[in-house]
């Protein structure tokens, strides 16, 4: 990946900072005073029961969701101070969705080239070279001219990862990236994510893949009912969760493993 | 004075056909451009814009085209604004067609999975690119059968322009019919000409559909 940033001013400041973020859907409070700080290169796994606000939390980071209170700073940029900064934040934050969301009318290669060309103003040749490089990295370079519907779910999700990487983001958000996959395809996507983690990418992953969490996460964050209830290193979290809700949750999901 | 239906009458009908084609082209072009704006406004984030477009579509779908032509041509004239027939027809057809096409395309835009827009937003694509690269290419593909269906309606609907003085195909048929006293023959010919104009469009549409289906 890119070499470490040479801006000393940025090294102490967290890459992502969430301060007292609150979000409501009407009268339902989806996020309750969420505080989170993520340093450069850190890998976070977010878990918790369905409806706990995990996806909402990461979707607030790139403003796919609006929040009503609090502050989110990404790479020193706060959107609250400058609404135009939303565009800059989105360029720095890559996102991978549960349902892949590839553009079905474009080839794999076109999917990967569009944003660099339209958003960064990259030339066509350079965008194509970058796209091919990342497609090779997710081991799908030989499918570049196919349409998404011609690929398996696992392949589509790897294309989606490559598409996000083509913008050379500073952080990657994963919103249940393996939940829509057939079991035999989960591994290829997780392996891609592990490779990305090993290259030093800053990652926030909403996932229930606890093996992945153990192997990759610096911190596991447990949420329930819109609140962060526990934050711990994966070993500690899996061995001795302190919050009763976390114990209950782990009991439920690990029972099947 | 009566005559028989001969080459001269056929040429007269064909000169009417020329207007029918021209009026159709104007209506579809004006309606298409304005219809895109209506569709985009109807699906916009701003609530006031959506509401304005709902009203617009409601008004122009809910009142007869004949009345709209009448209002634009004679109504504006009564207000002291002299509108040439051409301009009146262009305005009325654009308003009417944009309401129908806008609503067809609105439905297609809304039929796209929400994830398409979200992925485009997450990549940082600006609204112009989201519309041009992601939303409209997919929506227009979905809407293609309904769009061609409406275009065929529009071709036949141009006969209403006779009210402001255009001698297009249907009006030309009326005139020839009353000169020759052979209404069945004349209107059979008129019908055949309309059919020859519309049928290839439907065929073309079916071909396109098959092509898109194969590309999936």
């Amino acid at each position: 990946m890119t070499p470490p940033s040479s801006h000393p001013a940025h090294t102490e400041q967290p890459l992502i900072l969430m301060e007292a973020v609150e979000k409501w859907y009407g009268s339902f409070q989806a996020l309750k005073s969420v505080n989170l700080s993520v340093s450069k290169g850190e890998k976070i796994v977010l878990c918790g029961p369905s409806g706990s606000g995990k996806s909402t939390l990461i979707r607030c980071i790139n403003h796919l969701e609006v929040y009503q209170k609090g502050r989110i700073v990404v790479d020193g940029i706060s959107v609250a101070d400058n609404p135009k900064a939303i565009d800059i934040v989105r360029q720095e934050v890559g996102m991978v969705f549960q349902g892949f969301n590839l553009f079905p009318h474009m080839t794999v290669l076109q999917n990967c080239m569009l944003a660099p060309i339209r958003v960064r103003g990259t030339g066509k040749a350079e965008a194509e070279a970058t796209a091919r490089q990342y497609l090779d990295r997710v081991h799908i370079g030989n499918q570049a001219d196919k349409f998404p519907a011609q690929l398996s779910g696992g392949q589509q999700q790897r294309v989606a990862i490559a598409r996000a990487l083509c913008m050379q983001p500073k952080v990657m958000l994963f919103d249940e990236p393996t939940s829509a996959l057939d079991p035999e395809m989960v591994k290829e996507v997780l392996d891609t994510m592990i490779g990305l983690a090993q290259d030093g990418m800053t990652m926030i992953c909403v996932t229930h893949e606890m093996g992945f969490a153990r192997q990759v996460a610096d911190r596991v964050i447990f949420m329930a009912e819109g609140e962060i209830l526990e934050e711990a290193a994966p070993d500690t979290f899996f061995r001795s969760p302190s919050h009763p809700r976390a114990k209950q949750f782990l009991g439920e999901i690990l029972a099947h493993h | 004075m009566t005559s028989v239906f001969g080459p001269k009458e056929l040429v007269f009908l064909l000169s009417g056909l020329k207007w029918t084609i021209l009026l159709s082209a104007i209506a579809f072009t004006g309606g298409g451009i304005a219809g895109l704006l209506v569709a985009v406004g109807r699906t916009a984030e701003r609530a006031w814009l959506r509401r304005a477009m709902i009203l617009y579509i409601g008004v122009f779908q809910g009142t007869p085209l004949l009345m709209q032509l009448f209002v634009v041509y004679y109504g504006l004239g009564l207000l002291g604004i002299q509108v040439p027939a051409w301009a009146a027809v262009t305005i009325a057809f654009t308003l009417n067609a944009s309401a129908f096409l806008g609503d067809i395309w609105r439905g297609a835009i809304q039929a796209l999975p929400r994830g398409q827009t979200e992925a485009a937003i997450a990549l940082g694509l600006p609204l112009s690119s989201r519309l041009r690269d992601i939303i409209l290419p997919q929506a227009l593909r979905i809407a293609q059968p309904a769009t061609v269906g409406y275009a065929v309606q529009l071709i036949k609907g141009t006969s209403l322009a006779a009210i402001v003085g255009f001698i297009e195909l249907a009006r030309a048929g009326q005139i020839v019919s009353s000169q020759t006293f052979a209404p069945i023959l004349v209107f059979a010919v008129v019908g055949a000409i309309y059919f020859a104009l519309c049928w290839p469009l439907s065929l073309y549409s079916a071909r396109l559909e098959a092509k898109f289906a194969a590309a999936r």
Side-chain angles (χ1 to χ4, degrees):
Chain A
M1 286 290 323
T2 46
S5 163
S6 55
H7 304 295
H10 280 222
T11 48
E12 272 106 49
Q13 158 186 312
L15 195 50
I16 294 175
L17 182 68
M18 301 178 80
E19 285 178 341
V21 173
E22 311 219 341
K23 172 171 178 65
W24 284 266
Y25 292 106
S27 60
F28 173 76
Q29 188 166 9
L31 292 179
K32 295 173 188 162
S33 192
V34 166
N35 291 290
L36 177 66
S37 170
V38 181
S39 330
K40 187 173 163 54
E42 220 184 346
K43 289 101 185 101
I44 309 283
V45 162
L46 254 178
C47 64
S50 110
S52 60
K54 313 170 298 261
S55 292
T56 307
L57 187 154
I58 62 168
R59 289 163 59 90
C60 283
I61 294 173
N62 63 353
H63 296 269
L64 279 183
E65 304 279 352
V66 292
Y67 48 94
Q68 283 78 27
K69 272 193 187 168
R71 202 163 83 100
I72 301 180
V73 185
V74 178
D75 196 29
I77 304 162
S78 165
V79 170
D81 306 337
N82 174 14
K84 290 218 164 129
I86 288 183
D87 298 335
I88 302 166
V89 165
R90 285 176 178 153
Q91 291 176 34
E92 306 302 342
V93 178
M95 189 167 206
V96 174
F97 299 87
Q98 182 177 350
F100 328 136
N101 297 350
L102 295 178
F103 305 131
H105 58 301
M106 297 181 182
T107 64
V108 163
L109 189 65
Q110 289 167 338
N111 264 276
C112 293
M113 289 168 61
L114 180 67
I117 290 174
R118 289 277 191 259
V119 183
R120 296 227 192 265
T122 311
K124 230 182 151 188
E126 193 192 335
E128 181 173 339
T130 309
R132 289 196 185 277
Q133 177 199 327
Y134 283 112
L135 286 171
D136 282 341
R137 232 187 86 168
V138 301
H139 306 295
I140 209 144
N142 54 346
Q143 318 269 11
D145 295 320
K146 288 194 177 169
F147 285 91
Q150 297 170 287
L151 305 183
S152 73
Q155 291 173 321
Q156 289 191 49
Q157 193 61 299
R158 284 186 282 144
V159 171
I161 293 172
R163 178 176 70 177
L165 290 176
C166 282
M167 284 295 284
Q168 302 181 315
K170 296 203 165 97
V171 55
M172 287 281 285
L173 309 175
F174 291 85
D175 191 359
E176 306 210 27
T178 58
S179 302
L181 294 174
D182 290 334
E184 74 270 23
M185 293 167 188
V186 170
K187 187 176 177 298
E188 63 186 66
V189 170
L190 290 180
D191 284 346
T192 305
M193 291 168 64
I194 290 167
L196 200 57
Q198 285 165 347
D199 288 341
M201 177 60 80
T202 310
M203 296 162 66
I204 304 181
C205 312
V206 174
T207 181
H208 292 148
E209 295 293 336
M210 292 302 137
F212 172 80
R214 271 181 213 276
Q215 191 179 343
V216 165
D218 297 308
R219 254 190 298 164
V220 176
I221 293 179
F222 175 77
M223 287 184 78
E225 286 162 19
E227 260 179 300
I228 293 181
L229 296 183
E230 187 158 348
E231 262 189 83
D235 276 353
T236 318
F237 179 74
F238 290 116
R239 202 169 348 99
S240 51
S242 53
H243 200 282
R245 290 294 305 268
K247 280 180 195 161
Q248 185 198 349
F249 174 74
L250 280 176
E252 280 161 11
I253 63 161
L254 295 179
H256 303 289
H257 284 254
Chain B
M1 196 184 113
T2 63
S3 58
V4 288
F5 186 78
K8 214 180 87 199
E9 282 68 27
L10 188 63
V11 167
F12 186 69
L13 286 185
L14 292 179
S15 72
L17 172 65
K18 186 184 70 192
W19 289 115
T20 294
I21 292 174
L22 208 56
L23 287 166
S24 302
I26 288 173
F28 196 74
T29 309
I33 294 167
L36 273 182
L37 298 177
V38 170
V40 170
R42 177 64 183 76
T43 53
E45 266 178 53
R46 292 187 182 82
W48 65 264
L49 192 53
R50 284 201 308 272
R51 278 198 287 269
M53 288 306 138
I54 290 171
L55 183 69
Y56 179 90
I57 291 168
V59 166
F60 288 100
Q61 282 192 344
T63 55
L65 175 57
L66 191 66
M67 189 212 81
Q68 292 161 19
L69 277 164
F70 209 81
V71 167
V72 172
Y73 187 61
Y74 297 105
L76 290 182
L78 286 178
L79 293 176
I81 309 166
Q82 276 311 319
V83 193
W86 265 116
V89 161
T90 304
I91 293 169
F93 275 122
T94 295
L95 291 173
N96 187 268
S98 66
F100 280 94
L101 288 172
D103 207 28
I104 289 172
W105 294 339
R106 182 271 306 176
I109 289 173
Q110 288 177 338
L112 294 182
R114 173 87 188 124
Q116 290 292 303
T117 299
E118 287 191 346
I121 290 176
L123 283 168
L125 293 171
L127 180 63
S128 60
S129 165
R130 296 203 302 267
L131 289 173
R132 179 161 56 118
D133 298 317
I134 310 298
I135 313 267
L136 292 180
Q138 295 188 66
L140 294 181
R141 206 173 280 195
I142 293 173
Q144 178 251 322
T147 304
V148 175
Y150 180 72
V152 167
Q153 292 275 13
L154 196 63
I155 289 173
K156 293 177 289 184
T158 54
S159 61
L160 294 175
I163 195 183
V164 295
F166 282 94
I167 302 174
E168 43 60 64
L169 184 53
R171 178 83 185 114
Q174 246 176 14
I175 293 168
V176 172
S177 162
S178 58
Q179 282 173 346
T180 58
F181 291 119
I184 293 182
L185 173 66
V186 172
F187 283 112
V189 172
V190 167
I193 296 175
Y194 271 116
F195 187 78
L197 199 58
C198 297
W199 179 239
L201 267 182
S202 305
L203 276 185
Y204 175 67
S205 172
R207 281 246 311 267
L208 266 187
E209 253 182 274
K211 201 180 114 194
F212 287 152
R216 281 193 157 238

